[in-house]
Amino acid sequence: MTTMTETSARFREFKMPDVGEGLTEAEILKWYVQPGDTVTDGQVVCEVETAKAAVELPIPFDGVVHELRFPEGTTVDVGQVIIAVDVVPGGGEAVAEPVAPAAAEPEPAAEPEAPKGRQPVLVGYGVAESSTKRRARKSTEPPAAAAAAIQGELNGHTTVAADVPAPATTVVPESRPLAKPPVRKLAKDLGIDLATVTPTGPGGIITREDVHAAAAPVPAPASVPTAPAAVAEAVAVPVAAAPVPGARETRIPVKGVRKAIAQAMVGSAFTAPHVTEFVTVDVTRMMKLVAELKEDKDMAGVRVNPLLIIAKALLVAIKRNPEVNAAWDEANQEIVQKHYVNLGIAAATPRGLIVPNLKDAHDKTLPQLAAALGELVTTAREGKTSPAAMAGGTVTITNVGVFGVDTGTPILNPGESAILAVGAIKLQPWVHKGKVKPRQVTTLALSFDHRLVDGELGSKVLADVAAILEQPKRLITWA
């Protein structure tokens, strides 16, 4: 099914889609159009916020906006109509008819009940197919045309005409594998040919899990449940209502990202047994390396900062201790070791804190890692981070030091095995070569899932990161 309906031959409606595979609601943040505006197929008409991210919604047909059903700031259930469009402007005196219940209409013939499940639409997924039987349409598209329409929606456009019935000529759809744009990007990032992937989604759709399964060196007997992506987005800043003068309290509704992150953090804290270890390390040599790299012509055009070296140090530590890069599969009672590292990086944005991840960070050279970090942070601060960029992380770095904090005990992202917190780098007295000298010092904290990582392994990873930051030449000798 699609997320649009016809109220008459003139007006078409667009429903709130599920833009995140399983979400039930979204908040309308901003309308980019108003009644009377002309819209074209693929034009973004609004921005919505879900438990995963802020997403722009394109309209899948041409016309003139007739009505916006909800104002900005309204939380709308998936499947509700959010906008009505006049697809034949000036083509009659009819007005948009409300959608009448199917039972109120005469039903000369009923279609056979459609298969249950969610079908892909222009953005994300539509709502589940209702069991209510609807009146048969007088004109339907041939199967080939319907398949082409579905493929068009997956590719970001539509082939549905405004109000002209499809011609009787049979259209042969492309043999291109069915997959949503984020899944296609994931496959591209992982170097996977979608034609070689076995689809498991409804209607032969290739899912993220299918791509990850194809990328795994050894096929797993069962796929690992995807970690709640809400955790990858971390904390969003709730908008407080204007305080009433003299009021001693202000109540803020828990919804959207805040609601999802609360559920995910509680689930993580009470599911994975957390252990946090700390180490204080002299990073004076690392800071000198950062200063030298800023002048290196090979690093021209990319941002060089302590986070770059810390990220590289963690990647080397994981390479030396690969068992730490794993996930717990509760359903199958298995530990799934990852042979790739999708490195999550916390990024402060005007909308709050999100944690996108760098895909296959372990394969990147230092200049490539610097460029990817810069692009990740810039995209996040512009509010353009996609849900796909925040899914599939394996380990995470959170830099609490930017706030002047020495350290913390970070909570794991569900589905991940470890998270490294980096404290503020401060000039402190330190014993160096037998003498007390002012040195640049920081504190690292590593939280890990004790089901996957025992004390010895966790200690080795943290010690390796600290050793690299203290003696950066180990990036060469250990790598």
Side-chain angles (χ1 to χ4, degrees):
M1 65 181 290
T2 66
T3 56
M4 62 201 107
T5 60
E6 293 189 39
T7 56
S8 69
R10 177 174 173 182
F11 295 96
R12 303 185 73 179
E13 297 174 337
F14 182 67
K15 296 179 180 180
M16 176 69 75
D18 172 5
V19 297
E21 299 183 16
L23 298 176
T24 59
E25 63 183 17
E27 178 182 352
I28 298 176
L29 295 180
K30 183 177 181 180
W31 282 108
Y32 294 118
V33 296
Q34 295 297 325
D37 291 351
T38 300
V39 294
T40 57
D41 177 9
Q43 178 181 338
V44 173
V45 294
C46 67
E47 181 182 23
V48 301
E49 182 180 52
T50 70
K52 298 202 172 208
V55 179
E56 293 181 332
L57 297 183
I59 195 83
F61 40 78
D62 301 335
V64 174
V65 177
H66 174 69
E67 181 184 10
L68 305 181
R69 296 292 177 86
F70 297 95
E72 295 176 356
T74 305
T75 299
V76 181
D77 291 336
V78 169
Q80 284 190 281
V81 176
I82 59 175
I83 182 174
V85 174
D86 184 351
V87 295
V88 190
E93 300 180 356
V95 296
E97 303 172 5
V99 179
E105 300 178 358
E107 298 186 6
E111 296 178 348
E113 191 172 275
K116 298 293 187 293
R118 307 164 71 79
Q119 300 298 318
V121 293
L122 180 64
V123 178
Y125 289 80
V127 294
E129 199 65 61
S130 171
S131 61
T132 304
K133 296 182 179 180
R134 299 182 62 88
R135 181 180 61 181
R137 296 187 183 277
K138 296 180 180 180
S139 176
T140 58
E141 293 180 297
I150 294 176
Q151 180 65 62
E153 291 178 353
L154 289 169
N155 293 335
H157 61 275
T158 179
T159 58
V160 180
D163 64 340
V164 180
T169 304
T170 301
V171 179
V172 180
E174 300 177 10
S175 59
R176 189 181 186 190
L178 296 178
K180 295 197 303 176
V183 178
R184 293 186 183 279
K185 184 178 185 303
L186 174 62
K188 181 180 179 182
D189 292 340
L190 296 178
I192 300 299
D193 182 359
L194 286 177
T196 65
V197 178
T198 302
T200 62
I205 301 298
I206 296 174
T207 66
R208 292 189 183 93
E209 289 72 22
D210 297 334
V211 175
H212 282 302
V218 180
S223 60
V224 181
T226 304
V231 140
E233 289 110 41
V235 182
V237 179
V239 179
V244 178
R248 293 170 62 85
E249 296 179 348
T250 299
R251 291 183 173 268
I252 305 171
V254 179
K255 58 182 181 178
V257 175
R258 169 55 61 189
K259 181 178 180 180
I261 197 61
Q263 294 171 343
M265 289 292 96
V266 169
S268 175
F270 292 97
T271 299
H274 284 57
V275 174
T276 305
E277 294 187 341
F278 307 89
V279 64
T280 302
V281 58
D282 177 4
V283 295
T284 304
R285 290 187 179 92
M286 182 198 75
M287 296 303 291
K288 289 181 179 178
L289 175 60
V290 170
E292 292 172 0
L293 288 175
K294 287 182 178 179
E295 304 300 324
D296 194 315
K297 63 179 182 180
D298 291 332
M299 302 297 287
V302 297
R303 184 178 181 184
V304 178
N305 55 20
L307 178 61
L308 172 62
I309 307 302
I310 293 168
K312 192 65 176 179
L314 179 57
L315 292 171
V316 171
I318 293 173
K319 183 177 181 180
R320 285 168 54 85
N321 305 275
E323 297 86 358
V324 76
N325 189 40
W328 183 271
D329 185 349
E330 181 66 28
N332 296 303
Q333 288 296 290
E334 295 175 339
I335 293 175
V336 184
Q337 291 191 355
K338 309 293 181 66
H339 303 293
Y340 58 92
V341 181
N342 290 344
L343 182 62
I345 302 292
T349 75
R351 299 174 58 81
L353 188 68
I354 64 173
V355 188
N357 60 76
L358 301 176
K359 310 299 184 186
D360 294 323
H362 62 290
D363 283 337
K364 299 185 185 299
T365 63
L366 195 64
Q368 291 172 341
L369 188 61
L373 280 170
E375 182 180 356
L376 178 148
V377 173
T378 299
T379 302
R381 289 177 178 171
E382 291 176 352
K384 297 180 180 179
T385 303
S386 67
M390 293 182 280
T394 60
V395 294
T396 293
I397 295 177
T398 176
N399 186 7
V400 298
V402 296
F403 306 107
V405 176
D406 290 332
T407 189
T409 55
I411 296 178
L412 293 166
N413 290 337
E416 297 185 13
S417 58
I419 178 170
L420 178 69
V422 182
I425 299 174
K426 299 179 180 179
L427 200 62
Q428 297 183 20
W430 193 264
V431 178
H432 179 67
K433 296 181 178 180
K435 296 181 180 180
V436 177
K437 296 182 179 180
R439 305 285 286 180
Q440 291 176 299
V441 178
T442 191
T443 299
L444 307 175
L446 182 72
S447 291
F448 51 86
D449 185 343
H450 218 344
R451 297 174 301 177
L452 298 162
V453 183
D454 58 25
E456 179 185 10
L457 177 58
S459 298
K460 285 182 177 179
V461 173
L462 184 58
D464 281 355
V465 174
I468 293 171
L469 300 186
E470 187 175 19
Q471 293 282 356
K473 66 182 181 182
R474 291 190 173 103
L475 285 173
I476 299 174
T477 58
W478 286 0

